[in-house]
Amino acid sequence: FVGSGHKQLPASEQERRMLELEKEVKELQRANDILQEALGFFAARRKK
């Protein structure tokens, strides 16, 4: 945006960055799922 202090990237650079961010989101979601499963596993073991 002009005057916002943020440099606007060329369209191809924006697309590349968007793909990078989408990949990172998927990785973080997968890590979160693994951690939630582990939490459930250890919580169930602790109740015994």
Side-chain angles (χ1 to χ4, degrees), residues 9-33:
L9 299 173
S12 61
E13 189 68 19
Q14 286 178 341
E15 290 173 16
R16 184 191 62 76
R17 182 68 177 138
M18 184 66 75
L19 291 174
E20 270 181 26
L21 292 172
E22 287 173 354
K23 182 179 177 182
E24 186 175 349
V25 166
K26 286 180 186 178
E27 289 175 16
L28 292 171
Q29 286 173 334
R30 184 170 180 266
N32 192 41
D33 290 342

